[in-house]
Amino acid sequence: VLPFPSQVVYNRVGKCGSRTVVLLLRILSEKHGFNLVTSDIHNKTRLTKNEQMELIKNISTAEQPYLFTRHVHFLNFSRFGGDQPVYINIIRDPVNRFLSNYFFRRFGDWRGEQNHMIRTPNMKQEERYLDINVCILENYPECSNPRLFYIIPYFCGQHPRCREPGEWALERAKLNVNENFLLVGILEELEDVLLLLERFLPHYFKDVLSIYKNPEHRKLGNLTVTVKKTVPSPEAIQILYQRMRYEYEFYYYVKEQFHLLKRKFGLKSHIGKPSPRPEFFIPSPLETEEPINDEEEDDEKWLEGIYKR
């Protein structure tokens, strides 16, 4: 048994910086000698029971230590008799994620538009150049639920109800974050995410921040920026907020947990003033700069449970 988590799964959420992180993982896997297991399947996040069993079997038999990454909704390994791996993930502001995906599907990124035309070959020209405001205000399927209910299923899991916008999926996603994920970071504070990953999983992420800040790597990262993005009207954005209320409730929950974790480990971010909450949020969150009473729990003891898996 290796003296550190030897099975890590990054079930990456689409358009949340995952291509940047995978670029880093390729460098890190060579540097640290772990097995980076990637998938060529990018558009199948929901699996049948047999597909779940097959994928879990394939992942579990990979050479350890491994880090498996794929766009796939949360898989419960223990349900099929496997050892539950350590999960990590990153999410971002839901409207920003949606807009990035909307334009990426149409125009790709700086690596070249032709690369992306291959991914959406059947998209008609009128659809490719559909104005984002028209899509939202006229309630096109791409800009309404259930298509907008995107982030939560990655944490809720494979149950059919995980794809239905509502409290059940939201609460199950929160529960899985608490019980199965070592870290869920937010893209807006990526450097702090990388710092914590380096702290929690050094056998995988040691030196990740210095690699990320390297000018040569930054050049590669800039190529993955989506092109031709435009900002919807305030009216359209407010409609998106309303349609994505559960996504925002989850996002702010994860953000609050992430900030608690950062303060616990002494990280103080130098980030801009947070954007105001959408009007539909009634309960006030935990976001506070008050000191956390963690009963003097030692940082390393906090990680012991993870390292015993």
Side-chain angles (χ1 to χ4, degrees):
V1 177
L2 294 168
F4 59 90
S6 59
Q7 303 170 81
V8 179
V9 172
Y10 172 30
N11 64 319
R12 50 196 185 116
V13 181
K15 304 311 298 171
C16 290
S18 64
R19 286 179 299 154
T20 296
V21 177
V22 169
L23 280 173
L24 289 167
L25 285 169
R26 286 177 182 149
I27 298 169
L28 291 166
S29 64
E30 291 186 12
K31 185 178 176 69
H32 302 315
F34 63 85
N35 182 18
L36 178 62
V37 184
T38 58
S39 173
D40 294 328
I41 302 172
H42 301 287
N43 57 359
K44 190 170 178 60
T45 56
R46 308 162 184 176
L47 310 177
T48 66
K49 184 178 178 181
N50 286 337
E51 287 171 337
Q52 290 178 58
M53 292 173 65
E54 186 66 24
L55 181 57
I56 287 172
K57 178 184 174 184
N58 290 340
I59 297 171
S60 299
T61 55
E63 182 184 349
Q64 297 184 21
Y66 70 72
L67 190 151
F68 174 78
T69 177
R70 172 177 162 177
H71 293 301
V72 64
H73 295 168
F74 175 78
L75 292 162
N76 189 338
F77 282 59
S78 56
R79 180 188 173 203
F80 299 102
D83 294 329
Q84 192 69 6
V86 167
Y87 270 86
I88 58 173
N89 217 322
I90 301 170
I91 65 173
R92 73 191 287 191
D93 178 277
V95 164
N96 286 339
R97 193 219 69 82
F98 164 74
L99 294 175
S100 180
N101 185 63
Y102 184 89
F103 292 104
F104 179 72
R105 288 186 68 241
R106 286 160 171 77
F107 308 115
D109 53 34
W110 289 110
R111 292 176 299 179
E113 186 169 339
Q114 69 279 2
N115 290 340
H116 208 70
M117 299 289 250
I118 296 169
R119 287 199 184 205
T120 54
N122 298 321
M123 184 178 282
K124 297 176 181 177
Q125 285 297 92
E126 60 267 27
E127 183 184 357
R128 193 176 298 279
Y129 293 96
L130 175 65
D131 182 86
I132 184 69
N133 290 301
V134 173
C135 184
I136 297 166
L137 297 175
E138 297 188 12
N139 208 21
Y140 279 67
E142 186 177 357
C143 298
S144 57
N145 279 315
R147 297 272 190 93
L148 295 179
F149 193 69
Y150 182 88
I151 297 173
I152 286 174
Y154 274 88
F155 299 88
C156 178
Q158 297 288 336
H159 193 287
R161 289 186 70 183
C162 288
R163 304 191 287 274
E164 299 172 7
E167 290 287 340
W168 188 91
L170 169 65
E171 293 306 317
R172 182 158 171 160
K174 288 181 182 178
L175 184 66
N176 276 333
V177 166
N178 294 336
E179 293 186 351
N180 291 294
F181 283 80
L182 174 62
L183 178 69
V184 182
I186 56 171
L187 183 62
E188 293 83 357
E189 299 170 41
L190 180 58
E191 289 193 9
D192 286 342
V193 177
L194 298 178
L195 273 171
L196 287 178
L197 285 171
E198 187 169 352
R199 176 70 182 271
F200 296 165
L201 296 169
H203 292 84
Y204 298 87
F205 288 97
K206 186 173 174 15
D207 300 323
V208 65
L209 197 57
S210 61
I211 296 169
Y212 173 70
K213 288 183 171 182
N214 183 292
E216 290 303 312
H217 182 270
R218 281 294 175 95
K219 284 181 187 175
L220 287 173
N222 289 339
L223 292 176
T224 65
V225 175
T226 303
V227 298
K228 298 188 181 180
K229 276 199 288 190
T230 59
V231 179
S233 68
E235 180 189 3
I237 288 177
Q238 186 60 33
I239 288 172
L240 281 181
Y241 275 139
Q242 294 292 343
R243 291 175 184 169
M244 302 172 86
R245 61 175 301 157
Y246 294 110
E247 293 275 275
Y248 268 97
E249 195 169 333
F250 180 72
Y251 170 73
Y252 281 116
Y253 175 80
V254 166
K255 187 175 182 180
E256 287 151 11
Q257 298 302 310
F258 181 63
H259 285 173
L260 287 169
L261 196 58
K262 284 197 336 184
R263 292 203 294 276
K264 182 179 181 63
F265 284 88
L267 289 182
K268 295 181 180 179
S269 295
H270 300 285
I271 56 173
K273 191 175 180 182
S275 57
R277 287 175 179 275
E279 292 176 3
F280 57 75
F281 276 103
I282 299 171
S284 60
L286 297 172
E287 288 179 347
T288 173
E289 293 305 317
E290 293 298 316
I292 300 163
N293 178 14
D294 54 12
E295 299 180 352
E296 304 299 323
E297 183 182 9
D298 183 77
D299 286 350
E300 303 310 323
K301 285 184 178 178
W302 182 83
L303 290 170
E304 277 181 9
I306 295 295
Y307 276 69
K308 285 177 181 175
R309 288 190 187 180

